[in-house]
Amino acid sequence: MIDTIEQSPLCPIVNPGSIAIFGASNKPTSMGTNQLLSLTALGFEGKIYPVHPKEKEVLGFKAYQSVLDLPEVPDLAVMILPTKAVPQVMAACGQKGIKHAIVVSGGFNEVGGQGKDLEEELKETAKRYGITFLGPNCLGVVNPHHKFNMTFLPFEGKPGFIGLASQSGSLVTQLFGYLDRFGIGFSTGISVGNEANIDIVDGLEYLAACPHTRVIGLYIETIRRGREFMEVARAIAPHKPIVAYYVGGSEAGKRAGFSHTGAMAGPDVLYDGVFRQSGIVRADSITEMFDFCWALGSCVKPAGKRVVIQTHSGGPGAAAADACGREGLVLADFSSETLKKLKPFVPHTGSVNNPVDLTFSRRQEEYFESIPEVLLEEAEADVLMLYCSTPRKAFERGMKAMGIEDAEIGPFVEEIIDKQISLLAGLKESHPKTFVGFSFRNESNRFVRNLSRQGIPVFPSPERAARAVSALVRYNKLMHKLGA
Amino acid sequence: MIDTIEQSPLCPIVNPGSIAIFGASNKPTSMGTNQLLSLTALGFEGKIYPVHPKEKEVLGFKAYQSVLDLPEVPDLAVMILPTKAVPQVMAACGQKGIKHAIVVSGGFNEVGGQGKDLEEELKETAKRYGITFLGPNCLGVVNPHHKFNMTFLPFEGKPGFIGLASQSGSLVTQLFGYLDRFGIGFSTGISVGNEANIDIVDGLEYLAACPHTRVIGLYIETIRRGREFMEVARAIAPHKPIVAYYVGGSEAGKRAGFSHTGAMAGPDVLYDGVFRQSGIVRADSITEMFDFCWALGSCVKPAGKRVVIQTHSGGPGAAAADACGREGLVLADFSSETLKKLKPFVPHTGSVNNPVDLTFSRRQEEYFESIPEVLLEEAEADVLMLYCSTPRKAFERGMKAMGIEDAEIGPFVEEIIDKQISLLAGLKESHPKTFVGFSFRNESNRFVRNLSRQGIPVFPSPERAARAVSALVRYNKLMHKLGA
């Protein structure tokens, strides 16, 4: 195990100061060009050296005919080239003294036949020159904290706390916008491709040492170094939670994984055991992997599995209770003290049961301060789940009916919503307890968007919230078993 | 069973020509006022008569001190009043000759004690005057095809094809925006509340006869008339699919349902049997209920469970394959003819397996026309699942790099996306086969939004798409068992 990222072979690949790029040109449709465009768009501050056989300039950068012509030895070479050209270019990089590379090009092991020979050749060449490399058949890396997006698609959003090591490149590139909608994002995303050299275990180690990473996500089609994987994961998990999605769980997934990266998936039950014994929380889908990362990276770990649900609507409250029940969570029974404290807030049509159902008839501040405070203070409960449905249009309509001028309505509604959020955020600060929201509204709703950005994740359905809470509970159990 | 909506006691409640409303005032925070605001905002074209003890005018409408003063006998009375006032107002409505009512007020059976007595009194009063009523403790109805929104929240979106009968009012009121994001919406939504008179079976019958309703959703906390429910559902399901979400499935859900509407939930396995024998597709969550309604209301029913996945990204394709595998769907094996037809389209780094993985390197038209056409023509497959990730920002960047002027880029990109959609929509028309999309992008993406609006639902994750497809397959099986 490493202690700092500098000890990882991935360090210069994820945080390069200078890059040679092969395959970028002035042809805007080529993949290499797009990777260079992504790089510059995020404002990469290091040196960029395009290597191109014919062009004098590539997207405004001076281009070099050969890597040997570069004025310095760059930290990293990135190759987006026809398959057959790769081993040769790798050799030239070696001659130049380059020690780290990303091979984006596909057509190796994953296609079989001659591709396997080419991958062998690539490995041998790299070994000969002491080059550590990522790929082939990968989509690069993203490290927004370093303004470094070495992938095909433009980065969207902000630097975040989720470290991802993935055997699918799409997960690194195609989910920027998805994560940003929830107000989360990657600390670093690493597409490991065929893992001819650097593999997912190296990715794990790097992310464990990365100070921007609070939680690690793994997309797995196969594990090539089983023993090392388990040892490393077990050492990391108590300090930094790990969530894994294994795609080979079904026969169909297995077949698809094989044709994708040539991965030989094992029986689902085997992987299940590996994850459990490694202290890794298993997710059943990509969506769930990021939900779990969101919860594990944002929330205080619950002491137990007793949940309180606060709602102003019976149906969503009941659905949340049902979802908790299915996930093995239990609804907390309130202490007599809590019941006493709640009594004045609950109208006669509401309920003093759990879910705490307040209907629509009470004052706003109670829903966002007094009541959640009582619930967070309940010693018999470990988690608060809050139903969030702030119907902005209804607010606006009410203000219009009150005679407030049109131009003032927008800012006034926003002020109210922001006040509600600051009350809840204050409670989160003063009460170190697991606190999540759920809603059928999405990030286009100011309340949902901004509450999430205050570290109270608002999941887009009761069952996703319940699943995420159960992942927190499972993490605790796994750590208990590890003796951590 | 009824043949036309006119035979349903719900008909005047869902399609009134004139309304007396009790509880609306000029106080913008009151619930009654908000229901009247919702009604007028959607442009209700019938007569509106507010009844108010003091006001001369309510929100611009002439108000009446007593229902007896109204110039005509309205089709419907809507009561949003303190609990104790309700039986008395119901009697006054009876004296006026009103035959239909919605009682929004809560505080009846669901709170127990005196509430139970009041509900009995309400029922007796209504019976005495021959009044049919919805509620109490409901949130009203919405029928956007009739410009009729008799609920607390403003309607968002367009009239749709999902008929909902719900024991949760929130599901009728709080999901307008949710459904609209997917380009779907209610044909009619009915909040049945405590079902003191009209119940969910009446709702089913009405929606079965409703010409705007293509699929029926049910949110259930309890079924009060079991035998009738099953008979009616069994008669409807072969002609119009029914999807149900039962919230009492877990102990926690059961408790929550009881405190919500006083519903006595039965064992999960019992409800499971009831749904199966009634030909109802069961959903495990609210989200899933609407996903299933979306698929059942939009898609051609599949002949079998053999799926083809088309993708340009390995990870999402593998995840979709895995999700299909978990749902009991199978990946189709291609006929030799299909393999031959696909060969020219698949680059050497892609795969001619299923998922059909095309990577990023090929021409757009192939992904949106030639290839899906081959796949839709495959006789060995029943369903096509298409991965949709049209990275608009990458398109725009590419055009900028090509030297296209900024002002022209937007319209040009939209033209390309619209062309892709029209190609796919054309295929859907010419090939009567189950065809769905999946994506991690949402409705803010033009491609996702507009493809869904063409009747090819794009689900927000591979597993939600796979679950929805499996619901289509389950529906067929259920119909087979019913001998339909």
Side-chain angles (χ1 to χ4, degrees):
Chain A
M1 278 293 294
I2 58 172
D3 297 314
T4 66
I5 55 169
E6 287 75 17
Q7 294 169 288
S8 165
L10 271 164
C11 190
I13 294 176
V14 174
N15 308 272
S18 50
I19 302 166
I21 180 165
F22 300 79
S25 67
N26 294 310
K27 195 181 143 201
T29 53
S30 92
M31 181 137 173
T33 305
N34 275 283
Q35 300 214 201
L36 180 51
L37 286 169
S38 296
L39 184 64
T40 54
L42 194 57
F44 179 65
E45 289 164 352
K47 283 274 182 193
I48 297 170
Y49 302 111
V51 180
H52 195 280
K54 287 178 224 131
E55 304 279 2
K56 297 274 173 252
E57 250 192 20
V58 168
L59 305 181
F61 294 94
K62 179 176 161 54
Y64 297 83
Q65 258 201 304
S66 158
V67 65
L68 299 172
D69 301 339
L70 301 190
E72 64 170 319
V73 179
D75 294 337
L76 178 66
V78 181
M79 301 170 204
I80 313 109
L81 293 167
T83 317
K84 287 184 182 166
V86 174
Q88 204 179 323
V89 169
M90 186 68 94
C93 288
Q95 284 154 26
K96 181 70 181 178
I98 296 175
K99 293 295 174 204
H100 295 90
I102 297 175
V103 182
V104 175
S105 317
F108 293 90
N109 259 7
E110 80 282 8
V111 298
Q114 211 196 348
K116 282 178 176 275
D117 301 337
L118 279 166
E119 188 159 318
E120 274 314 302
E121 192 187 338
L122 178 65
K123 280 160 76 172
E124 277 165 28
T125 309
K127 196 174 171 192
R128 191 157 64 243
Y129 292 101
I131 300 172
T132 304
F133 69 100
L134 195 64
N137 187 30
C138 77
L139 280 179
V141 300
V142 65
N143 176 4
H145 294 277
H146 190 62
K147 298 185 189 169
F148 181 56
N149 176 20
M150 198 67 254
T151 79
F152 177 79
L153 293 180
F155 184 74
E156 296 171 55
K158 289 182 183 161
F161 59 72
I162 299 172
L164 179 74
S166 175
Q167 287 168 351
S168 158
S170 313
L171 260 70
V172 177
T173 54
Q174 290 174 25
L175 291 165
F176 294 148
Y178 176 85
L179 297 176
D180 187 46
R181 296 206 314 263
F182 297 103
I184 52 179
F186 292 127
S187 52
T188 288
I190 303 164
S191 161
V192 296
N194 290 4
E195 304 184 305
N197 180 217
I198 286 173
D199 71 2
I200 207 152
V201 180
D202 300 307
L204 256 180
E205 286 199 278
Y206 175 85
L207 295 169
C210 167
H212 299 296
T213 299
R214 295 215 296 259
V215 57
I216 298 171
L218 302 174
Y219 169 94
I220 289 176
E221 295 185 353
T222 190
I223 298 174
R224 293 184 168 85
R225 288 193 288 154
R227 186 195 300 262
E228 292 88 343
F229 178 88
M230 289 178 70
E231 278 174 13
V232 167
R234 232 195 299 243
I236 296 168
H239 315 290
K240 205 174 268 192
I242 306 171
V243 181
Y245 169 55
Y246 171 55
V247 84
S250 69
E251 198 48 49
K254 217 168 283 179
R255 277 175 52 186
F258 182 72
S259 80
H260 179 212
T261 53
M264 290 298 297
D268 192 60
V269 60
L270 173 72
Y271 273 76
D272 211 59
V274 166
F275 294 142
R276 216 168 341 98
Q277 286 175 45
S278 309
I280 294 175
V281 180
R282 184 174 180 180
D284 283 343
S285 68
I286 293 170
T287 313
E288 202 165 272
M289 181 175 75
F290 288 115
D291 278 0
F292 291 2
C293 285
W294 192 13
L296 283 158
S298 312
C299 297
V300 173
K301 307 292 176 297
K305 59 179 182 179
R306 299 164 305 172
V307 177
V308 180
I309 297 163
Q310 180 185 333
T311 182
H312 50 54
S313 301
D322 188 46
C324 286
R326 285 165 203 255
E327 292 306 323
L329 305 170
V330 297
L331 294 195
D333 285 318
F334 293 131
S335 62
S336 55
E337 204 190 327
T338 295
L339 287 172
K340 209 162 66 190
K341 286 197 278 181
L342 283 178
K343 198 77 190 165
F345 300 119
V346 178
H348 81 292
T349 54
S351 144
V352 274
N353 301 308
N354 185 6
V356 181
D357 185 352
L358 300 155
T359 74
F360 269 110
S361 49
R362 307 295 303 204
R363 288 187 309 131
Q364 294 282 334
E365 310 84 69
E366 295 177 359
Y367 196 82
F368 299 102
E369 188 175 36
S370 323
I371 293 162
E373 182 159 34
V374 172
L375 300 177
L376 286 166
E377 280 168 2
E378 168 60 271
E380 301 294 320
D382 308 301
V383 179
L384 176 58
M385 271 174 68
L386 180 79
Y387 179 53
C388 305
S389 179
T390 304
R392 182 168 177 156
K393 286 188 185 166
F395 274 17
E396 290 173 351
R397 188 178 65 178
M399 292 189 177
K400 206 177 164 76
M402 278 185 198
I404 295 172
E405 302 233 348
D406 279 5
E408 286 172 31
I409 288 176
F412 196 10
V413 169
E414 289 179 5
E415 200 184 308
I416 293 176
I417 291 173
D418 292 350
K419 175 70 184 165
Q420 294 170 346
I421 288 168
S422 84
L423 290 174
L424 292 170
L427 286 178
K428 181 191 151 77
E429 285 312 305
S430 55
H431 295 75
K433 222 170 196 176
T434 315
F435 189 2
V436 303
F438 64 101
S439 184
F440 293 102
R441 298 183 193 273
N442 73 356
E443 77 289 344
S444 64
N445 178 277
R446 187 182 184 92
F447 184 88
V448 167
R449 184 175 65 247
N450 289 352
L451 191 61
S452 285
R453 277 154 182 72
Q454 289 293 331
I456 301 171
V458 182
F459 293 93
S461 71
E463 56 280 359
R464 278 174 70 176
R467 285 284 289 168
V469 168
S470 86
L472 295 170
V473 173
R474 254 197 289 159
Y475 173 74
N476 282 357
K477 272 196 201 150
L478 287 165
M479 291 311 103
H480 187 74
K481 274 202 185 150
L482 282 191
Chain B
M1 279 293 294
I2 57 171
D3 298 315
T4 66
I5 54 169
E6 287 76 19
Q7 296 169 288
S8 166
L10 271 164
C11 190
I13 294 176
V14 173
N15 307 272
S18 52
I19 302 167
I21 180 164
F22 299 80
S25 67
N26 293 309
K27 195 179 143 204
T29 52
S30 92
M31 180 135 173
T33 305
N34 275 282
Q35 298 213 203
L36 180 49
L37 286 168
S38 296
L39 184 64
T40 54
L42 194 56
F44 179 65
E45 290 164 352
K47 284 273 181 192
I48 298 172
Y49 302 110
V51 180
H52 195 280
K54 288 179 223 127
E55 304 279 3
K56 296 274 173 253
E57 250 193 20
V58 168
L59 304 181
F61 294 94
K62 177 176 162 53
Y64 298 83
Q65 259 202 302
S66 158
V67 66
L68 300 173
D69 302 339
L70 300 191
E72 63 170 320
V73 180
D75 295 337
L76 177 67
V78 181
M79 303 171 203
I80 313 108
L81 294 166
T83 317
K84 286 183 183 168
V86 174
Q88 204 179 323
V89 168
M90 187 67 94
C93 289
Q95 284 154 27
K96 180 71 182 179
I98 295 176
K99 293 296 175 204
H100 294 89
I102 297 176
V103 182
V104 174
S105 316
F108 293 90
N109 259 7
E110 79 282 8
V111 298
Q114 211 197 346
K116 281 176 175 278
D117 301 337
L118 279 166
E119 188 158 319
E120 275 313 306
E121 192 187 338
L122 179 64
K123 280 161 74 173
E124 277 164 29
T125 309
K127 196 175 170 191
R128 191 158 65 244
Y129 291 101
I131 299 173
T132 305
F133 69 100
L134 195 64
N137 188 29
C138 77
L139 280 179
V141 302
V142 66
N143 175 4
H145 293 278
H146 190 63
K147 298 185 188 169
F148 181 57
N149 177 19
M150 198 67 255
T151 79
F152 177 78
L153 293 180
F155 184 73
E156 295 170 55
K158 289 184 184 159
F161 59 71
I162 299 173
L164 179 74
S166 174
Q167 287 168 351
S168 158
S170 312
L171 259 70
V172 176
T173 55
Q174 291 175 25
L175 292 166
F176 295 149
Y178 176 84
L179 297 177
D180 186 47
R181 297 206 313 264
F182 296 104
I184 51 178
F186 292 127
S187 51
T188 289
I190 303 163
S191 162
V192 296
N194 290 3
E195 303 184 305
N197 179 216
I198 284 172
D199 70 2
I200 207 153
V201 179
D202 300 308
L204 254 180
E205 285 199 279
Y206 176 85
L207 295 169
C210 168
H212 299 297
T213 299
R214 294 214 296 259
V215 58
I216 299 170
L218 302 174
Y219 170 94
I220 290 176
E221 295 185 353
T222 190
I223 298 174
R224 291 183 168 88
R225 289 193 288 155
R227 185 194 301 263
E228 291 87 342
F229 178 88
M230 288 178 69
E231 278 174 12
V232 167
R234 231 195 298 242
I236 296 168
H239 315 292
K240 207 175 266 192
I242 307 171
V243 181
Y245 169 55
Y246 171 55
V247 85
S250 69
E251 198 48 49
K254 218 168 283 179
R255 275 174 54 186
F258 182 72
S259 80
H260 179 212
T261 52
M264 290 297 298
D268 193 58
V269 60
L270 172 72
Y271 274 76
D272 211 58
V274 165
F275 293 141
R276 214 165 346 97
Q277 286 174 45
S278 309
I280 293 175
V281 180
R282 184 174 181 180
D284 283 343
S285 68
I286 293 170
T287 314
E288 202 166 274
M289 181 176 73
F290 288 115
D291 279 0
F292 291 3
C293 285
W294 192 13
L296 284 158
S298 313
C299 295
V300 173
K301 308 292 176 298
K305 59 179 182 178
R306 300 164 303 173
V307 177
V308 179
I309 297 163
Q310 180 185 333
T311 182
H312 49 55
S313 301
D322 189 46
C324 285
R326 285 167 202 253
E327 293 305 324
L329 305 170
V330 297
L331 295 195
D333 285 319
F334 293 132
S335 63
S336 55
E337 203 190 326
T338 296
L339 287 172
K340 209 162 65 189
K341 287 196 277 181
L342 284 178
K343 198 75 191 169
F345 300 118
V346 179
H348 80 292
T349 54
S351 141
V352 273
N353 301 309
N354 184 7
V356 181
D357 186 352
L358 300 156
T359 73
F360 269 109
S361 47
R362 307 297 303 206
R363 290 187 308 132
Q364 295 281 336
E365 311 83 67
E366 295 177 359
Y367 195 81
F368 298 102
E369 188 175 37
S370 323
I371 293 161
E373 181 158 35
V374 172
L375 300 177
L376 285 167
E377 281 168 1
E378 169 60 271
E380 301 295 318
D382 308 301
V383 179
L384 175 58
M385 273 175 68
L386 180 79
Y387 179 52
C388 305
S389 178
T390 304
R392 182 167 176 154
K393 285 187 188 169
F395 274 15
E396 290 174 351
R397 187 178 68 177
M399 290 188 178
K400 208 177 163 74
M402 278 188 201
I404 295 173
E405 303 235 347
D406 279 5
E408 286 172 31
I409 289 175
F412 197 9
V413 169
E414 289 178 5
E415 200 185 306
I416 293 175
I417 291 173
D418 293 349
K419 174 71 186 166
Q420 294 170 345
I421 287 167
S422 83
L423 290 173
L424 292 170
L427 286 178
K428 180 190 152 75
E429 286 310 306
S430 55
H431 295 76
K433 220 169 198 178
T434 315
F435 189 2
V436 303
F438 64 101
S439 183
F440 293 102
R441 301 183 191 273
N442 73 356
E443 77 290 345
S444 65
N445 178 278
R446 186 183 185 91
F447 184 87
V448 166
R449 184 175 66 247
N450 289 352
L451 191 61
S452 285
R453 278 156 180 71
Q454 289 292 331
I456 301 170
V458 181
F459 293 94
S461 71
E463 55 281 358
R464 279 174 69 176
R467 285 285 289 167
V469 168
S470 86
L472 294 172
V473 172
R474 256 198 287 158
Y475 173 74
N476 282 356
K477 270 195 203 153
L478 286 166
M479 290 313 101
H480 188 73
K481 272 200 186 150
L482 283 192

